[in-house]
Amino acid sequence: CNLQPKDAAKMPESAWKLLFYTLSWSYGIYLLFFTEYPFFYDPPSVFYDWKKGMDVPTDIAIAYLLQCSFYGHSIYATAYMDTWRKDSVVMLLHHVVTLTLIAFSYAFRGGGRRPWGKMGGSSAGSLRSLGDITPTLPLCPSRFWFRLYWFPLKVLYATCYSSLQSVPDIPFYFFFNALLLVLTLMNIYWFLYIVLFVAKVLMGQMQEVNDVREYDVEDSRKT
């Protein structure tokens, strides 16, 4: 593809993430819009009739398995395989928090609060993977819409408020919501990166359209 050496080195990582996020997002679309689950249009429904030890439907269990295995691998990949970036430590923490949420959600029958909540993140993630080797301007509206609008509206509303309305004594309420709020802060952190990137492009401070996280690394090295 006549890529520069720096881009060629990132290609395996970007291609793998693009493949996984596309498949994961597609499966999330299937669960949300082509089954009888009302999760997207009625987020509090994940807690209706909740009880300890309840069965997890096979199709949702598959979503748990896919997401859990991916983020388990991602912890290792971020530390030892992927291109190291300025935000890699935050990314590593993100994977640990996400894996913890998924595993505990399954263990305590969390009503599918994590796998279906990852649908929006998977869509933004696939765009970011594509953006590693192409212009990344589409990231700004997509990340805002999926991670800063739908995530609080669909996920946090259900877990912070609706869960107590449906199950007043729901276990690990503060544990789950604290980790979800940590993810929200990370989403804000990365969105600010993208806003910084767009601002630098508009002000003519960048000659090439690159990943703003790597731009900051190069900038800090020159300094």
Side-chain angles (χ1 to χ4, degrees):
C1 298
N2 295 322
L3 295 174
Q4 296 296 320
K6 180 183 65 174
D7 295 326
K10 293 189 300 180
M11 176 62 82
E13 172 193 349
S14 300
W16 156 243
K17 289 181 178 179
L18 177 62
L19 174 64
F20 174 81
Y21 282 131
T22 300
L23 295 175
S24 174
W25 182 79
S26 299
Y27 190 63
I29 289 293
Y30 163 74
L31 289 178
L32 291 178
F33 300 110
F34 295 94
T35 65
E36 296 181 354
Y37 301 121
F39 299 153
F40 183 80
Y41 297 106
D42 185 19
S45 65
V46 298
F47 297 104
Y48 296 167
D49 301 321
W50 179 90
K51 59 181 180 294
K52 295 180 180 179
M54 62 188 299
D55 292 334
V56 178
T58 301
D59 50 3
I60 291 183
I62 291 174
Y64 271 111
L65 178 62
L66 290 174
Q67 296 289 349
C68 197
S69 59
F70 173 75
Y71 283 99
H73 159 76
S74 294
I75 293 174
Y76 175 85
T78 300
Y80 300 107
M81 297 173 60
D82 296 347
T83 301
W84 193 257
R85 301 180 175 90
K86 188 176 181 180
D87 70 332
S88 290
V89 173
V90 180
M91 183 69 72
L92 194 61
L93 176 62
H94 170 274
H95 296 336
V96 172
V97 171
T98 301
L99 182 61
T100 301
L101 278 166
I102 294 173
F104 275 84
S105 176
Y106 181 82
F108 293 100
R109 305 298 191 259
R113 77 183 81 184
R114 282 303 301 160
W116 70 265
K118 287 301 297 178
M119 187 275 290
S122 294
S123 179
S126 62
L127 278 173
R128 190 184 69 193
S129 298
L130 184 62
D132 282 345
I133 51 176
T134 57
T136 56
L137 286 176
L139 275 176
C140 196
S142 66
R143 181 173 285 272
F144 175 82
W145 183 261
F146 287 116
R147 300 196 178 194
L148 297 182
Y149 177 69
W150 267 358
F151 184 78
L153 181 67
K154 301 290 186 180
V155 179
L156 293 184
Y157 173 80
T159 59
C160 292
Y161 176 75
S162 302
S163 60
L164 290 179
Q165 304 301 310
S166 300
V167 189
D169 59 343
I170 191 168
F172 297 97
Y173 171 85
F174 292 103
F175 171 78
F176 280 114
N177 285 296
L179 293 183
L180 288 171
L181 289 174
V182 169
L183 290 185
T184 303
L185 292 177
M186 293 183 187
N187 289 337
I188 296 173
Y189 169 79
W190 277 308
F191 182 74
L192 292 178
Y193 257 116
I194 299 172
V195 171
L196 174 64
F197 163 78
V198 173
K200 288 181 177 179
V201 171
L202 294 178
M203 292 187 295
Q205 296 182 11
M206 294 183 66
Q207 300 300 320
E208 298 180 4
V209 180
N210 293 319
D211 190 327
V212 70
R213 298 168 299 164
E214 293 172 6
Y215 174 83
D216 286 343
V217 170
E218 294 298 323
D219 190 54
S220 63
R221 286 174 180 170
K222 292 179 182 178
T223 303

